[in-house]
DNA sequence: AGTATGACCAACG
DNA sequence: CCGTTGGCCATAC
């Protein structure tokens, strides 16, 4: 039997990483946001923030409903173009009560949600400029 | 099989 | 504040 694909995963099983990423994203509360890096840490891959972005880019419909709650570590809507324009993503967030400090930068100090993670030192939100 | 790129992050100068 | 470098690793060419 084989042998699994070079990815080390059999078809149908799907990557646990991706599944876990989606599980975390689904738990982001309305009116809150979290970051790629924090999701990566929450699933045990602290240095694979890029893979989180990759997973979201391939996100199924059920994730697309809450994907706008994921921003980069600075609160910027780096994935905004996936909605056609960052303004669309911003509108979705404002609709949930999220406020902004810049045109496409959310107020992390007020709306940051931290996923349950194993155990890590608390990270403070970056200073406003 | 190697290179380039990416919804990222962090350290450094 | 900006640019560069390194790390991550899947995808496209």
């Amino acid at each position: 039997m084989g042998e699994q694909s070079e990815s080390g995963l059999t078809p149908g099983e799907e990557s646990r990483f991706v599944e876990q990423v989606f599980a975390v994203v689904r738990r982001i509360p309305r009116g809150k946001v979290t970051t790629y890096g924090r999701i990566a840490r929450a699933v045990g891959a602290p240095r694979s923030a890029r893979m989180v972005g990759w997973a979201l880019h391939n996100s199924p419909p059920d994730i697309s409903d809450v994907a706008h709650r994921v921003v980069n570590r600075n609160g910027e809507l780096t994935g905004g173009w996936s909605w056609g324009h960052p303004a669309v993503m911003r509108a979705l967030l404002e609709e949930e009560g999220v406020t902004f400090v810049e045109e496409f930068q959310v107020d992390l100090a007020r709306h940051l949600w931290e996923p349950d993670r194993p155990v890590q030192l608390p990270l403070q939100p970056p200073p406003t400029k």
Side-chain angles (χ1 to χ4, degrees), chain A residues 52-86:
Chain A
V52 175
W54 166 78
L56 284 172
H57 190 76
N58 296 295
S59 61
D62 62 311
I63 292 298
S64 299
D65 290 329
V66 291
H68 58 274
R69 297 176 187 155
V70 184
V71 298
N72 76 356
R73 71 160 176 80
N74 204 28
E76 296 165 318
L77 279 43
T78 50
W81 294 105
S82 293
W83 280 266
H85 193 283

Side-chain angles (χ1 to χ4, degrees), chain A residues 10-61:
Chain A
T10 57
E13 272 298 295
E14 291 257 354
S15 162
R16 288 230 201 279
F17 174 82
V18 173
E19 289 297 313
Q20 289 177 127
V21 168
F22 292 161
V24 173
V25 173
R26 275 189 275 257
R27 295 193 339 247
I28 305 175
R30 211 183 137 81
K32 292 287 181 180
V33 299
T34 197
T35 69
Y36 300 98
R38 282 184 174 85
I39 293 172
R41 277 201 300 270
V43 302
R47 308 214 161 145
S48 299
R50 275 184 134 160
M51 298 301 95
V52 175
W54 166 78
L56 284 172
H57 190 76
N58 296 295
S59 61

